[in-house]
């Protein structure tokens, strides 16, 4: 949970640097200066120190204190907070709403007197817990110390804080503090109006908090036995997006991804892009990635450990730069998940690999195409090798490649950028190396796992639900099993209608690589099986330890026995609300389904895992009639 937000108010909210410039400019005009603001300051943003030096070139006797006094006398005091009307009602509403959820602090490089003036004029004295200025750390430049001091004053851990910054140096200071730092899309030009700056800042902050709302609340509460009804639109594929976003580092121009889901995995990937000096802009559901000023640096932030898919930067950066160094990736705990097949593919292309102190260093003088056979049709290895091979000399053939739709989606985008990839979606993928990739625009495919989860939810507790924006062919294995269980469905071109089923029958399932039944749907389907008549059996062939959800379901009244790589479910059993824990993403989904059908209230702890892969899950379920908070 992000318990505190630290604002750098000088640029982020009150735009005080511009106060200095405009206040000083008014004073200079009164001294007989006949030029324009552009003459005095240029057309790009300048700092207070730079403006002071420029003013000195016209009036050599000026001191720094003179300029501060000029600002107060000729700007703030003559026109007290001239932009105050711009701060209301929107800034007022946003800040007061945030104050209800978070502790707010000001950590600014402005003098304390100006910050106090701002708070007094706006009536915000009680809104901010601490006001720290440059005077508190004796440093007029952005410094990590100011954020660390605020954190310590509040008695919080770094992971409980969020820094909102707007300048390159401020962003760097925030990151150096080890606290998560978010920024506006880009520092604004000096000639942009204060109204526009404030509006864009608020829009950006709203977008940031949308993505981090999932980490604000680590508990989900559900009152069960509410019949659901209505339509739910499926978001774009999480598993595709987490490969497509790392692939953008391979381009030499802007890539625009459409229909990007609002999930915490995307936020973590944006952090990694920022580490590589890549500009990322969010516009509604689109993500605009500008890799033109990329720097191949070591990836070592906490974001690497937040998701398994961070390893896709290995293939992407190795392909583009012939070298990558990064921390061992993280993700959900699903048992052993080695990346040996990824490394085998990199070695086949000519790379040397070293693993020291938790870091992989993978490098090659050049990459050369090769014939690579995967011992197992691994999605991650297929994607990683495919990306590295795009820039390899000659032809690469990946045999026994994974066939998942997400691989086809990645191949489609890379080909739009100028790659030469054939056979994606089959067991043999051929990549002819190219020297350069360009930018492109690409719409991400719908999420087949989210779609499957909502179809299972509908089968469990809906009168009638339409699941739209889907590709039914991607769900063929699941749909056949649901039909076998007696689920009443009608399948359209891009939707499925699910109707109430009077009695479900037990079945047996076996997880397999695509086009078989997805391992990610095994856990949600297990919950539905607890409501089916007879014995159901699960055989897990992908992740043999993926049964942690069973113990949690048993707490709710299920009768599930877990063996080695298998489970046996006796049903139907009534489920009862209690306190349970999401141990991973799809375990969390299975518990949400259980909570919806259970009697009483279910509390799901560690809901952060659920937010990794389900876009606005609470809002979507509420719209269908669920009681969830």
């Amino acid at each position: 949970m992000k318990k505190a937000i630290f604002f750098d108010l000088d640029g982020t909210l009150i735009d005080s640097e511009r106060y200095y410039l405009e206040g000083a400019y008014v004073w200079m005009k009164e001294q007989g200066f006949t030029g324009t603001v552009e003459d005095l300051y240029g057309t790009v943003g300048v700092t207070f120190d730079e403006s002071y030096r420029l003013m000195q070139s016209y009036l050599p006797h000026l001191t720094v204190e003179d300029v501060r006094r000029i600002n107060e006398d000729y700007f703030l005091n003559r026109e007290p907070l001239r932009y105050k009307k711009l701060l209301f009602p929107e800034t007022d509403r946003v800040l007061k709403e945030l104050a209800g959820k978070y502790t707010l602090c000001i950590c600014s490089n402005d003098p304390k007197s100006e910050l106090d003036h701002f708070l007094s004029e706006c009536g915000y004295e009680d809104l901010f817990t601490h006001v720290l200025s440059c005077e508190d750390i004796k440093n007029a430049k952005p410094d990590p110390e100011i954020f660390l001091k605020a954190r310590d004053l509040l008695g919080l851990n770094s992971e409980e804080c969020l820094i909102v910054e707007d300048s390159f140096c401020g962003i760097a200071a925030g990151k150096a503090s080890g606290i998560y730092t978010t920024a506006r899309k880009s520092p604004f030009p000096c000639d942009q109006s204060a109204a526009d700056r404030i509006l864009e800042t608020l829009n950006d902050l709203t977008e940031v908090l949308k993505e981090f709302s999932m980490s604000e609340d680590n508990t989900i509460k559900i009152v069960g036995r509410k019949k659901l009804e209505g339509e739910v639109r499926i978001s774009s594929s999480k598993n595709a997006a987490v490969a497509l976003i790392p692939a953008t580092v391979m381009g030499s121009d802007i890539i625009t991804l459409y229909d990007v889901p609002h999930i915490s995995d995307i936020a973590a990937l944006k952090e990694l892009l920022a580490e590589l000096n890549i500009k990322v802009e969010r516009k509604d559901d689109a993500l605009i990635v500008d890799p033109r000023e990329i720097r191949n640096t070591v990836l070592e932030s906490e974001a690497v450990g937040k998701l398994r898919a961070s390893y896709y930067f290995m293939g992407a950066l190795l392909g583009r730069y012939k070298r990558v160094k990064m921390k061992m990736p993280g993700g959900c705990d699903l048992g052993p998940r080695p990346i040996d097949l990824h490394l085998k593919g990199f070695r086949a292309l000519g790379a040397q690999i070293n693993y020291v102190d938790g870091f992989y260093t993978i490098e090659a003088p050049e990459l050369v195409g090769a014939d690579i056979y995967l011992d197992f049709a691994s999605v991650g290895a297929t994607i990683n090798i495919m990306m590295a091979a795009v820039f390899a000399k000659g032809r690469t053939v990946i045999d026994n490649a994974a066939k998942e739709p997400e691989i086809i989606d990645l191949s489609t985008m890379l080909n739009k950028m100028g790659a030469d990839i054939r056979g994606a979606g089959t067991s043999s993928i051929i990549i002819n190396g190219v020297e350069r990739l360009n930018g492109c625009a690409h719409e991400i495919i719908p999420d087949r796992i989210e779609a499957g989860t909502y179809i299972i939810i509908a089968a469990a507790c809906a009168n009638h639900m339409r699941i739209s924006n889907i590709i039914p062919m991607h769900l063929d294995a699941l749909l056949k099993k649901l039909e076998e269980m007696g689920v009443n469905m009608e399948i359209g071109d891009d939707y499925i209608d699910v109707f109430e089923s009077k009695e479900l029958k037990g079945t047996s399932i076996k997880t397999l690589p695509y086009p078989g039944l997805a391992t990610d749907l095994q856990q949600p389907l297990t919950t539905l099986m607890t409501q089916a008549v007879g014995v159901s059996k699960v055989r897990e062939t992908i992740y043999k330890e993926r049964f942690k959800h069973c113990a949690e379901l048993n707490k709710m009244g299920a009768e599930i026995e877990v063996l080695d790589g298998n489970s046996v479910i006796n049903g139907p059993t009534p489920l009862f609300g209690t306190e349970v824990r999401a141990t991973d993403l799809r375990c969390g989904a299975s518990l949400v389904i259980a909570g919806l059908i259970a009697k009483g209230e279910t509390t799901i702890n560690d809901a952060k895992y659920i937010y990794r892969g389900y876009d606005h899950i609470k809002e979507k379920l509420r719209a269908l009639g669920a009681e969830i908070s």
Side-chain angles (χ1 to χ4, degrees), residues 190-208:
C190 183
D191 58 355
Q192 185 170 18
S193 74
D196 288 341
R197 290 186 66 163
I198 290 169
L199 181 60
E200 289 194 38
T201 295
L202 290 171
N203 287 341
D204 287 354
L205 180 58
T206 300
E207 197 62 47
V208 166

Side-chain angles (χ1 to χ4, degrees), residues 17-18 21 41-48 50-51 54 187-192 197:
E17 203 160 81
R18 192 174 180 89
L21 303 185
Y41 304 126
T43 57
V44 297
V46 295
T47 66
F48 171 78
E50 290 167 337
S51 70
L54 285 165
F188 293 97
C190 183
D191 58 355
Q192 185 170 18
R197 290 186 66 163

Side-chain angles (χ1 to χ4, degrees), residues 1-8 98 102-107 147 150-151 154 156-165 174 177-183 204-213 215-216 267 271 306:
M1 179 177 181
K2 299 281 189 295
K3 293 184 178 179
I5 301 180
F6 303 150
F7 286 101
D8 174 13
L98 291 176
Y102 304 96
T103 298
L104 303 187
C105 297
I106 297 175
C107 300
F147 301 119
R151 180 201 65 184
L154 294 171
L156 297 176
N157 298 319
S158 293
E159 60 268 20
E160 296 174 309
C161 305
L162 172 68
I163 296 170
V164 179
E165 259 289 358
S177 73
I179 299 171
Y180 182 79
T181 304
T182 185
D204 287 354
L205 180 58
T206 300
E207 197 62 47
V208 166
L209 291 176
K210 269 186 191 176
E211 290 186 346
F212 280 90
S213 63
S215 54
E216 293 169 28
E271 287 184 55
K306 289 178 182 177

Side-chain angles (χ1 to χ4, degrees), residues 390 411 414-421 431-432 434 436-437:
V390 164
S411 172
L414 290 173
N415 283 340
K416 286 180 184 178
M417 295 166 68
D420 184 354
I421 303 171
I431 305 107
N432 292 306
V434 298
R436 173 188 171 90
L437 293 184

Side-chain angles (χ1 to χ4, degrees), residues 324-442:
V324 58
K325 183 176 180 180
M326 67 181 292
K327 199 163 63 172
M328 179 68 183
C332 290
D333 181 10
L334 303 177
R337 301 169 78 185
I339 62 170
D340 54 322
L341 289 183
H342 307 234
L343 303 180
K344 172 186 174 180
F346 297 152
R347 286 193 184 99
L349 295 172
Q352 298 292 318
I353 300 165
N354 289 299
Y355 182 69
V356 179
D357 296 332
F359 283 82
Y360 281 101
T361 301
I362 308 168
E363 54 191 341
E366 67 174 3
L367 299 175
V368 180
D371 291 340
I372 301 168
Y373 179 82
L374 298 181
D375 300 322
F376 172 76
S378 161
V379 175
T382 300
I383 288 174
N384 241 338
I385 296 167
M386 190 166 71
M387 288 197 288
V390 164
F391 290 121
K393 289 184 178 179
R395 171 172 291 194
T396 299
V397 179
I398 307 173
D399 282 319
N400 196 30
K403 305 173 185 177
E404 272 71 2
E406 295 79 16
I407 293 172
I408 301 173
D409 203 30
L410 174 63
S411 172
T412 300
M413 187 185 85
L414 290 173
N415 283 340
K416 286 180 184 178
M417 295 166 68
D420 184 354
I421 303 171
R422 305 173 192 176
T426 75
S427 61
S428 185
I429 299 176
I430 300 170
I431 305 107
N432 292 306
V434 298
E435 293 184 357
R436 173 188 171 90
L437 293 184
N438 303 307
C440 76
H442 181 74

